[in-house]
Short mmCIF file of all heavy atoms in Angstrom, two decimals:
data_model
loop_
_atom_site.label_atom_id
_atom_site.label_comp_id
_atom_site.label_asym_id
_atom_site.label_seq_id
_atom_site.Cartn_x
_atom_site.Cartn_y
_atom_site.Cartn_z
N MET A 1 0.85 -1.18 0.00
CA MET A 1 0.00 0.00 0.00
C MET A 1 0.89 1.25 0.00
O MET A 1 1.76 1.40 0.86
CB MET A 1 -0.89 -0.03 1.24
CG MET A 1 -1.72 1.21 1.40
SD MET A 1 -2.74 1.11 2.89
CE MET A 1 -4.33 1.14 2.13
N PRO A 2 0.68 2.15 -0.96
CA PRO A 2 1.53 3.35 -1.02
C PRO A 2 1.24 4.29 0.15
O PRO A 2 0.13 4.34 0.68
CB PRO A 2 1.13 4.01 -2.35
CG PRO A 2 -0.18 3.42 -2.70
CD PRO A 2 -0.28 2.08 -2.03
N ALA A 3 2.26 5.04 0.52
CA ALA A 3 2.11 6.03 1.60
C ALA A 3 1.19 7.16 1.12
O ALA A 3 1.16 7.48 -0.07
CB ALA A 3 3.47 6.59 1.97
N PRO A 4 0.43 7.73 2.04
CA PRO A 4 -0.42 8.85 1.64
C PRO A 4 0.42 10.04 1.19
O PRO A 4 1.54 10.24 1.64
CB PRO A 4 -1.22 9.18 2.90
CG PRO A 4 -0.47 8.55 4.02
CD PRO A 4 0.33 7.43 3.44
N ALA A 5 -0.14 10.81 0.29
CA ALA A 5 0.55 12.01 -0.20
C ALA A 5 0.71 13.00 0.94
O ALA A 5 -0.17 13.13 1.80
CB ALA A 5 -0.25 12.64 -1.34
N PRO A 6 1.84 13.70 1.00
CA PRO A 6 2.02 14.69 2.05
C PRO A 6 1.00 15.82 1.90
O PRO A 6 0.57 16.15 0.79
CB PRO A 6 3.44 15.20 1.85
CG PRO A 6 3.83 14.80 0.47
CD PRO A 6 2.97 13.63 0.09
N ILE A 7 0.63 16.40 3.02
CA ILE A 7 -0.32 17.51 3.01
C ILE A 7 0.44 18.79 2.73
O ILE A 7 1.43 19.11 3.41
CB ILE A 7 -1.06 17.61 4.36
CG1 ILE A 7 -1.94 16.37 4.56
CG2 ILE A 7 -1.89 18.88 4.44
CD1 ILE A 7 -2.60 16.30 5.92
N ARG A 8 0.01 19.51 1.74
CA ARG A 8 0.63 20.79 1.39
C ARG A 8 0.37 21.78 2.52
O ARG A 8 -0.74 21.86 3.06
CB ARG A 8 0.02 21.30 0.09
CG ARG A 8 0.76 22.44 -0.54
CD ARG A 8 0.21 22.70 -1.92
NE ARG A 8 -1.07 23.37 -1.85
CZ ARG A 8 -1.32 24.56 -2.38
NH1 ARG A 8 -0.38 25.19 -3.04
NH2 ARG A 8 -2.49 25.10 -2.27
N SER A 9 1.40 22.54 2.89
CA SER A 9 1.28 23.48 4.01
C SER A 9 2.02 24.77 3.70
O SER A 9 3.08 24.73 3.06
CB SER A 9 1.86 22.84 5.27
OG SER A 9 1.95 23.78 6.31
N PRO A 10 1.52 25.90 4.19
CA PRO A 10 2.22 27.16 4.00
C PRO A 10 3.30 27.41 5.05
O PRO A 10 3.96 28.44 5.04
CB PRO A 10 1.10 28.20 4.13
CG PRO A 10 0.17 27.58 5.11
CD PRO A 10 0.20 26.09 4.79
N CYS A 11 3.50 26.47 5.96
CA CYS A 11 4.44 26.64 7.07
C CYS A 11 5.84 26.90 6.53
O CYS A 11 6.32 26.21 5.64
CB CYS A 11 4.43 25.41 7.96
SG CYS A 11 5.52 25.57 9.39
N VAL A 12 6.50 27.92 7.11
CA VAL A 12 7.88 28.25 6.76
C VAL A 12 8.80 28.11 7.98
O VAL A 12 9.90 28.63 8.01
CB VAL A 12 8.01 29.66 6.14
CG1 VAL A 12 7.28 29.73 4.81
CG2 VAL A 12 7.49 30.72 7.10
N LEU A 13 8.30 27.40 9.01
CA LEU A 13 9.05 27.12 10.23
C LEU A 13 9.42 28.38 11.01
O LEU A 13 10.44 28.43 11.68
CB LEU A 13 10.28 26.26 9.93
CG LEU A 13 9.98 24.92 9.23
CD1 LEU A 13 11.28 24.19 8.91
CD2 LEU A 13 9.06 24.05 10.07
N VAL A 14 8.59 29.40 10.90
CA VAL A 14 8.68 30.60 11.73
C VAL A 14 7.37 30.64 12.50
O VAL A 14 6.44 31.35 12.14
CB VAL A 14 8.86 31.89 10.88
CG1 VAL A 14 8.89 33.12 11.77
CG2 VAL A 14 10.11 31.80 10.04
N CYS A 15 7.29 29.86 13.53
CA CYS A 15 6.03 29.66 14.24
C CYS A 15 5.93 30.61 15.43
O CYS A 15 6.22 30.23 16.57
CB CYS A 15 5.90 28.21 14.69
SG CYS A 15 6.02 27.05 13.31
N VAL A 16 5.55 31.84 15.13
CA VAL A 16 5.40 32.87 16.16
C VAL A 16 4.05 33.54 15.92
O VAL A 16 3.81 34.10 14.85
CB VAL A 16 6.53 33.92 16.08
CG1 VAL A 16 6.33 35.02 17.10
CG2 VAL A 16 7.89 33.25 16.24
N MET A 17 3.19 33.49 16.93
CA MET A 17 1.87 34.10 16.80
C MET A 17 1.94 35.58 17.19
O MET A 17 2.55 35.94 18.18
CB MET A 17 0.85 33.38 17.68
CG MET A 17 0.62 31.92 17.30
SD MET A 17 0.21 31.62 15.57
CE MET A 17 -1.42 32.35 15.48
N ASP A 18 1.32 36.42 16.38
CA ASP A 18 1.23 37.86 16.62
C ASP A 18 -0.03 38.13 17.44
O ASP A 18 -1.14 37.82 16.98
CB ASP A 18 1.18 38.60 15.28
CG ASP A 18 0.97 40.08 15.45
OD1 ASP A 18 1.69 40.69 16.26
OD2 ASP A 18 0.08 40.63 14.77
N ASP A 19 0.14 38.67 18.64
CA ASP A 19 -1.01 38.92 19.51
C ASP A 19 -1.99 39.91 18.92
O ASP A 19 -3.20 39.79 19.13
CB ASP A 19 -0.54 39.42 20.88
CG ASP A 19 0.12 38.34 21.70
OD1 ASP A 19 -0.12 37.15 21.44
OD2 ASP A 19 0.90 38.69 22.60
N GLU A 20 -1.51 40.91 18.20
CA GLU A 20 -2.40 41.94 17.65
C GLU A 20 -3.34 41.39 16.58
O GLU A 20 -4.53 41.65 16.59
CB GLU A 20 -1.58 43.08 17.05
CG GLU A 20 -0.97 44.01 18.05
CD GLU A 20 -0.24 45.12 17.35
OE1 GLU A 20 -0.88 46.15 17.07
OE2 GLU A 20 0.97 44.96 17.08
N SER A 21 -2.78 40.66 15.63
CA SER A 21 -3.57 40.18 14.49
C SER A 21 -4.14 38.79 14.71
O SER A 21 -5.09 38.40 14.03
CB SER A 21 -2.71 40.18 13.23
OG SER A 21 -1.68 39.20 13.34
N GLY A 22 -3.50 38.02 15.59
CA GLY A 22 -3.91 36.63 15.78
C GLY A 22 -3.38 35.71 14.70
O GLY A 22 -3.86 34.59 14.55
N LEU A 23 -2.40 36.19 13.94
CA LEU A 23 -1.84 35.41 12.83
C LEU A 23 -0.41 35.00 13.12
O LEU A 23 0.32 35.69 13.83
CB LEU A 23 -1.87 36.24 11.54
CG LEU A 23 -3.23 36.72 11.05
CD1 LEU A 23 -3.06 37.64 9.85
CD2 LEU A 23 -4.14 35.55 10.73
N CYS A 24 0.00 33.90 12.52
CA CYS A 24 1.39 33.46 12.60
C CYS A 24 2.23 34.42 11.74
O CYS A 24 1.86 34.74 10.61
CB CYS A 24 1.51 32.04 12.07
SG CYS A 24 3.22 31.47 11.94
N LEU A 25 3.37 34.86 12.29
CA LEU A 25 4.25 35.77 11.55
C LEU A 25 4.93 35.08 10.37
O LEU A 25 5.43 35.75 9.47
CB LEU A 25 5.31 36.36 12.47
CG LEU A 25 4.80 37.26 13.60
CD1 LEU A 25 5.95 37.74 14.47
CD2 LEU A 25 4.00 38.43 13.07
N GLY A 26 4.94 33.77 10.35
CA GLY A 26 5.58 33.04 9.25
C GLY A 26 4.64 32.71 8.11
O GLY A 26 4.97 32.92 6.95
N CYS A 27 3.44 32.21 8.44
CA CYS A 27 2.56 31.73 7.37
C CYS A 27 1.21 32.46 7.29
O CYS A 27 0.45 32.20 6.37
CB CYS A 27 2.31 30.23 7.54
SG CYS A 27 1.36 29.80 9.02
N PHE A 28 0.94 33.32 8.27
CA PHE A 28 -0.29 34.14 8.28
C PHE A 28 -1.56 33.35 8.56
O PHE A 28 -2.66 33.83 8.32
CB PHE A 28 -0.45 34.97 7.00
CG PHE A 28 0.80 35.71 6.62
CD1 PHE A 28 1.35 35.57 5.37
CD2 PHE A 28 1.45 36.53 7.52
CE1 PHE A 28 2.51 36.23 5.02
CE2 PHE A 28 2.61 37.20 7.18
CZ PHE A 28 3.15 37.05 5.92
N ARG A 29 -1.41 32.12 9.10
CA ARG A 29 -2.59 31.38 9.52
C ARG A 29 -2.93 31.71 10.96
O ARG A 29 -2.09 32.14 11.73
CB ARG A 29 -2.35 29.86 9.41
CG ARG A 29 -2.25 29.36 8.00
CD ARG A 29 -2.02 27.86 7.95
NE ARG A 29 -0.69 27.54 8.47
CZ ARG A 29 -0.27 26.30 8.70
NH1 ARG A 29 -1.05 25.26 8.48
NH2 ARG A 29 0.95 26.07 9.15
N THR A 30 -4.19 31.46 11.33
CA THR A 30 -4.60 31.60 12.72
C THR A 30 -4.13 30.37 13.50
O THR A 30 -3.80 29.33 12.90
CB THR A 30 -6.12 31.71 12.86
OG1 THR A 30 -6.71 30.46 12.45
CG2 THR A 30 -6.70 32.86 12.03
N LEU A 31 -4.15 30.47 14.82
CA LEU A 31 -3.76 29.33 15.63
C LEU A 31 -4.68 28.14 15.38
O LEU A 31 -4.22 27.00 15.29
CB LEU A 31 -3.77 29.72 17.12
CG LEU A 31 -3.19 28.70 18.09
CD1 LEU A 31 -1.76 28.34 17.72
CD2 LEU A 31 -3.25 29.23 19.50
N ASP A 32 -5.99 28.39 15.25
CA ASP A 32 -6.93 27.31 14.95
C ASP A 32 -6.61 26.64 13.61
O ASP A 32 -6.70 25.42 13.48
CB ASP A 32 -8.37 27.80 14.95
CG ASP A 32 -8.90 28.10 16.34
OD1 ASP A 32 -8.30 27.61 17.34
OD2 ASP A 32 -9.91 28.81 16.45
N GLU A 33 -6.24 27.44 12.62
CA GLU A 33 -5.90 26.87 11.31
C GLU A 33 -4.63 26.03 11.40
O GLU A 33 -4.56 24.95 10.81
CB GLU A 33 -5.73 27.98 10.27
CG GLU A 33 -7.04 28.63 9.89
CD GLU A 33 -6.88 29.90 9.10
OE1 GLU A 33 -5.78 30.51 9.09
OE2 GLU A 33 -7.89 30.33 8.49
N VAL A 34 -3.63 26.53 12.12
CA VAL A 34 -2.38 25.77 12.28
C VAL A 34 -2.67 24.45 12.99
O VAL A 34 -2.26 23.39 12.52
CB VAL A 34 -1.34 26.59 13.06
CG1 VAL A 34 -0.13 25.74 13.41
CG2 VAL A 34 -0.91 27.83 12.27
N ALA A 35 -3.39 24.52 14.09
CA ALA A 35 -3.65 23.33 14.90
C ALA A 35 -4.50 22.30 14.17
O ALA A 35 -4.31 21.10 14.32
CB ALA A 35 -4.32 23.73 16.21
N GLY A 36 -5.45 22.75 13.35
CA GLY A 36 -6.36 21.83 12.69
C GLY A 36 -6.04 21.56 11.24
O GLY A 36 -6.84 20.95 10.53
N TRP A 37 -4.89 21.99 10.77
CA TRP A 37 -4.55 21.91 9.35
C TRP A 37 -4.72 20.51 8.77
O TRP A 37 -5.30 20.34 7.70
CB TRP A 37 -3.11 22.39 9.14
CG TRP A 37 -2.78 22.65 7.70
CD1 TRP A 37 -1.94 21.93 6.91
CD2 TRP A 37 -3.29 23.72 6.89
NE1 TRP A 37 -1.88 22.48 5.65
CE2 TRP A 37 -2.70 23.58 5.62
CE3 TRP A 37 -4.17 24.77 7.10
CZ2 TRP A 37 -2.97 24.45 4.57
CZ3 TRP A 37 -4.44 25.63 6.06
CH2 TRP A 37 -3.85 25.47 4.82
N SER A 38 -4.24 19.51 9.47
CA SER A 38 -4.31 18.15 8.93
C SER A 38 -5.74 17.61 8.89
O SER A 38 -6.02 16.65 8.17
CB SER A 38 -3.42 17.20 9.73
OG SER A 38 -3.90 17.09 11.06
N ARG A 39 -6.64 18.23 9.64
CA ARG A 39 -8.02 17.77 9.65
C ARG A 39 -8.90 18.52 8.65
O ARG A 39 -10.05 18.13 8.42
CB ARG A 39 -8.61 17.91 11.06
CG ARG A 39 -7.96 16.97 12.07
CD ARG A 39 -8.62 17.02 13.43
NE ARG A 39 -8.62 18.35 14.04
CZ ARG A 39 -7.61 18.87 14.73
NH1 ARG A 39 -6.50 18.18 14.89
NH2 ARG A 39 -7.71 20.07 15.25
N LEU A 40 -8.38 19.59 8.06
CA LEU A 40 -9.16 20.33 7.05
C LEU A 40 -9.24 19.52 5.77
O LEU A 40 -8.33 18.76 5.44
CB LEU A 40 -8.51 21.68 6.74
CG LEU A 40 -8.52 22.74 7.83
CD1 LEU A 40 -7.76 23.98 7.35
CD2 LEU A 40 -9.93 23.10 8.22
N SER A 41 -10.33 19.71 5.05
CA SER A 41 -10.44 19.06 3.74
C SER A 41 -9.46 19.73 2.78
O SER A 41 -9.05 20.87 3.00
CB SER A 41 -11.87 19.22 3.20
OG SER A 41 -12.11 20.58 2.85
N PRO A 42 -9.07 19.04 1.72
CA PRO A 42 -8.19 19.68 0.73
C PRO A 42 -8.78 20.98 0.20
O PRO A 42 -8.04 21.94 -0.02
CB PRO A 42 -8.07 18.62 -0.37
CG PRO A 42 -8.30 17.32 0.33
CD PRO A 42 -9.33 17.63 1.39
N GLN A 43 -10.09 21.04 0.03
CA GLN A 43 -10.73 22.26 -0.46
C GLN A 43 -10.59 23.40 0.56
O GLN A 43 -10.33 24.54 0.18
CB GLN A 43 -12.21 22.02 -0.78
CG GLN A 43 -12.45 21.04 -1.89
CD GLN A 43 -12.34 19.57 -1.46
OE1 GLN A 43 -12.28 19.24 -0.27
NE2 GLN A 43 -12.29 18.68 -2.44
N ASP A 44 -10.77 23.09 1.84
CA ASP A 44 -10.62 24.12 2.87
C ASP A 44 -9.18 24.58 2.98
O ASP A 44 -8.91 25.77 3.16
CB ASP A 44 -11.14 23.63 4.22
CG ASP A 44 -12.65 23.59 4.29
OD1 ASP A 44 -13.32 24.29 3.49
OD2 ASP A 44 -13.19 22.84 5.13
N ARG A 45 -8.21 23.66 2.86
CA ARG A 45 -6.80 24.06 2.88
C ARG A 45 -6.50 24.96 1.69
O ARG A 45 -5.81 25.99 1.83
CB ARG A 45 -5.89 22.83 2.88
CG ARG A 45 -5.85 22.14 4.23
CD ARG A 45 -4.73 21.13 4.32
NE ARG A 45 -4.84 20.05 3.37
CZ ARG A 45 -5.45 18.89 3.61
NH1 ARG A 45 -6.00 18.66 4.78
NH2 ARG A 45 -5.50 17.96 2.69
N ASP A 46 -7.02 24.63 0.52
CA ASP A 46 -6.80 25.47 -0.67
C ASP A 46 -7.41 26.86 -0.47
O ASP A 46 -6.81 27.86 -0.86
CB ASP A 46 -7.41 24.82 -1.91
CG ASP A 46 -6.62 23.62 -2.40
OD1 ASP A 46 -5.46 23.43 -1.97
OD2 ASP A 46 -7.18 22.86 -3.22
N ARG A 47 -8.59 26.92 0.15
CA ARG A 47 -9.24 28.21 0.41
C ARG A 47 -8.39 29.07 1.33
O ARG A 47 -8.14 30.25 1.05
CB ARG A 47 -10.62 28.00 1.02
CG ARG A 47 -11.36 29.29 1.36
CD ARG A 47 -12.64 29.05 2.16
NE ARG A 47 -12.46 28.17 3.31
CZ ARG A 47 -11.92 28.55 4.47
NH1 ARG A 47 -11.47 29.77 4.64
NH2 ARG A 47 -11.81 27.67 5.47
N VAL A 48 -7.89 28.47 2.41
CA VAL A 48 -7.04 29.21 3.35
C VAL A 48 -5.77 29.66 2.64
O VAL A 48 -5.35 30.82 2.78
CB VAL A 48 -6.72 28.37 4.59
CG1 VAL A 48 -5.67 29.05 5.46
CG2 VAL A 48 -7.98 28.09 5.41
N MET A 49 -5.14 28.77 1.89
CA MET A 49 -3.90 29.12 1.18
C MET A 49 -4.13 30.32 0.26
O MET A 49 -3.28 31.20 0.17
CB MET A 49 -3.40 27.93 0.36
CG MET A 49 -2.94 26.75 1.18
SD MET A 49 -1.29 26.88 1.81
CE MET A 49 -0.33 26.52 0.37
N ALA A 50 -5.28 30.36 -0.40
CA ALA A 50 -5.58 31.48 -1.31
C ALA A 50 -5.76 32.79 -0.55
O ALA A 50 -5.48 33.87 -1.09
CB ALA A 50 -6.83 31.16 -2.12
N GLU A 51 -6.20 32.72 0.71
CA GLU A 51 -6.44 33.92 1.52
C GLU A 51 -5.17 34.48 2.15
O GLU A 51 -5.13 35.66 2.54
CB GLU A 51 -7.42 33.60 2.65
CG GLU A 51 -8.82 33.27 2.20
CD GLU A 51 -9.69 32.77 3.35
OE1 GLU A 51 -9.21 32.72 4.51
OE2 GLU A 51 -10.85 32.42 3.08
N LEU A 52 -4.14 33.68 2.29
CA LEU A 52 -2.97 34.07 3.07
C LEU A 52 -2.28 35.35 2.59
O LEU A 52 -1.95 36.21 3.42
CB LEU A 52 -1.96 32.92 3.15
CG LEU A 52 -2.47 31.68 3.87
CD1 LEU A 52 -1.41 30.58 3.83
CD2 LEU A 52 -2.89 31.98 5.30
N PRO A 53 -2.05 35.56 1.29
CA PRO A 53 -1.37 36.80 0.88
C PRO A 53 -2.12 38.07 1.31
O PRO A 53 -1.49 39.07 1.66
CB PRO A 53 -1.30 36.69 -0.65
CG PRO A 53 -1.34 35.22 -0.91
CD PRO A 53 -2.25 34.65 0.16
N ALA A 54 -3.42 38.02 1.33
CA ALA A 54 -4.22 39.19 1.71
C ALA A 54 -4.17 39.44 3.22
O ALA A 54 -4.56 40.52 3.68
CB ALA A 54 -5.66 39.01 1.25
N ARG A 55 -3.71 38.48 3.98
CA ARG A 55 -3.63 38.64 5.44
C ARG A 55 -2.38 39.38 5.89
O ARG A 55 -2.34 39.95 6.97
CB ARG A 55 -3.67 37.27 6.12
CG ARG A 55 -4.99 36.55 5.94
CD ARG A 55 -4.94 35.23 6.64
NE ARG A 55 -6.15 34.46 6.43
CZ ARG A 55 -6.40 33.30 6.99
NH1 ARG A 55 -5.51 32.77 7.83
NH2 ARG A 55 -7.52 32.66 6.75
N ARG A 56 -1.34 39.35 5.09
CA ARG A 56 -0.06 39.97 5.48
C ARG A 56 -0.24 41.41 5.96
O ARG A 56 0.36 41.78 6.98
CB ARG A 56 0.93 39.90 4.32
CG ARG A 56 2.29 40.46 4.68
CD ARG A 56 3.23 40.45 3.48
NE ARG A 56 4.47 41.10 3.82
CZ ARG A 56 5.60 40.48 4.12
NH1 ARG A 56 5.65 39.17 4.11
NH2 ARG A 56 6.68 41.16 4.44
N PRO A 57 -1.03 42.26 5.31
CA PRO A 57 -1.18 43.64 5.77
C PRO A 57 -1.81 43.78 7.16
O PRO A 57 -1.75 44.86 7.75
CB PRO A 57 -2.08 44.29 4.71
CG PRO A 57 -1.92 43.44 3.50
CD PRO A 57 -1.69 42.04 4.03
N ARG A 58 -2.38 42.73 7.70
CA ARG A 58 -2.96 42.79 9.04
C ARG A 58 -1.89 42.81 10.13
O ARG A 58 -2.18 43.06 11.29
CB ARG A 58 -3.91 41.61 9.26
CG ARG A 58 -5.16 41.71 8.39
CD ARG A 58 -6.04 40.49 8.40
NE ARG A 58 -6.27 39.87 9.68
CZ ARG A 58 -6.87 38.69 9.83
NH1 ARG A 58 -7.29 38.01 8.78
NH2 ARG A 58 -7.05 38.18 11.03
N ILE A 59 -0.64 42.53 9.74
CA ILE A 59 0.48 42.52 10.68
C ILE A 59 1.33 43.76 10.43
O ILE A 59 1.66 44.07 9.29
CB ILE A 59 1.32 41.24 10.51
CG1 ILE A 59 0.46 40.00 10.75
CG2 ILE A 59 2.51 41.25 11.46
CD1 ILE A 59 1.14 38.70 10.42
N ARG A 60 1.67 44.46 11.52
CA ARG A 60 2.48 45.67 11.37
C ARG A 60 3.81 45.32 10.66
O ARG A 60 4.46 44.35 11.03
CB ARG A 60 2.76 46.31 12.72
CG ARG A 60 1.52 47.00 13.27
CD ARG A 60 1.79 47.90 14.45
NE ARG A 60 2.01 47.11 15.66
CZ ARG A 60 3.05 47.29 16.49
NH1 ARG A 60 3.94 48.22 16.28
NH2 ARG A 60 3.18 46.52 17.56
N PRO A 61 4.18 46.11 9.65
CA PRO A 61 5.37 45.79 8.84
C PRO A 61 6.65 45.59 9.63
O PRO A 61 7.48 44.75 9.29
CB PRO A 61 5.50 46.98 7.89
CG PRO A 61 4.13 47.57 7.84
CD PRO A 61 3.50 47.30 9.18
N GLU A 62 6.82 46.35 10.71
CA GLU A 62 8.08 46.22 11.47
C GLU A 62 8.21 44.85 12.14
O GLU A 62 9.30 44.44 12.53
CB GLU A 62 8.21 47.33 12.52
CG GLU A 62 7.14 47.34 13.58
CD GLU A 62 5.92 48.19 13.24
OE1 GLU A 62 5.70 48.53 12.06
OE2 GLU A 62 5.16 48.49 14.17
N LYS A 63 7.13 44.12 12.23
CA LYS A 63 7.19 42.77 12.80
C LYS A 63 7.62 41.74 11.77
O LYS A 63 8.01 40.63 12.13
CB LYS A 63 5.83 42.36 13.36
CG LYS A 63 5.40 43.18 14.56
CD LYS A 63 4.07 42.69 15.05
CE LYS A 63 3.63 43.46 16.28
NZ LYS A 63 2.35 42.94 16.81
N LEU A 64 7.55 42.08 10.49
CA LEU A 64 7.80 41.10 9.43
C LEU A 64 9.12 41.24 8.73
O LEU A 64 9.63 40.28 8.18
CB LEU A 64 6.68 41.20 8.37
CG LEU A 64 5.29 40.82 8.86
CD1 LEU A 64 4.27 41.11 7.77
CD2 LEU A 64 5.25 39.35 9.25
N GLY A 65 9.67 42.41 8.66
CA GLY A 65 10.87 42.62 7.87
C GLY A 65 10.51 42.80 6.40
O GLY A 65 9.35 42.99 6.06
N PRO A 66 11.49 42.70 5.51
CA PRO A 66 11.22 42.93 4.08
C PRO A 66 10.28 41.88 3.51
O PRO A 66 10.28 40.73 3.93
CB PRO A 66 12.59 42.84 3.42
CG PRO A 66 13.56 42.50 4.46
CD PRO A 66 12.88 42.41 5.79
N ALA A 67 9.51 42.31 2.51
CA ALA A 67 8.56 41.40 1.85
C ALA A 67 9.27 40.43 0.95
O ALA A 67 10.32 40.62 0.48
CB ALA A 67 7.55 42.21 1.05
#
């Protein structure tokens, strides 16, 4: 039996939650999204992935460094 395909993730191994926005400074997901990522359907993961670039402005630029 072949191994299951790996789950695609936006994680960049910078796992720091921003108290102001509630988003991870590395991937821009919420804590609930990070914790439940493997339980989301592929469609829900794709939806979240599509939303992530628009979340970046919710974090003050000085917390992120260069784009």
Side-chain angles (χ1 to χ4, degrees):
M1 175 180 243
I7 294 174
R8 193 170 75 120
S9 171
C11 182
V12 295
L13 303 177
V14 177
C15 303
V16 177
M17 297 307 291
D18 176 49
D19 289 338
E20 285 182 89
S21 67
L23 300 174
C24 173
L25 296 178
C27 67
F28 312 126
R29 290 180 292 172
T30 66
L31 189 56
D32 287 342
E33 289 167 343
V34 171
W37 194 250
S38 64
R39 293 185 302 276
L40 291 177
S41 70
Q43 296 80 11
D44 285 339
R45 285 193 298 269
D46 288 345
R47 178 189 50 77
V48 171
M49 294 278 283
E51 293 172 2
L52 297 177
R55 294 180 183 184
R56 183 183 175 102
R58 292 172 43 190
I59 301 172
R60 286 192 285 130
E62 62 270 17
K63 293 181 178 182
L64 295 174

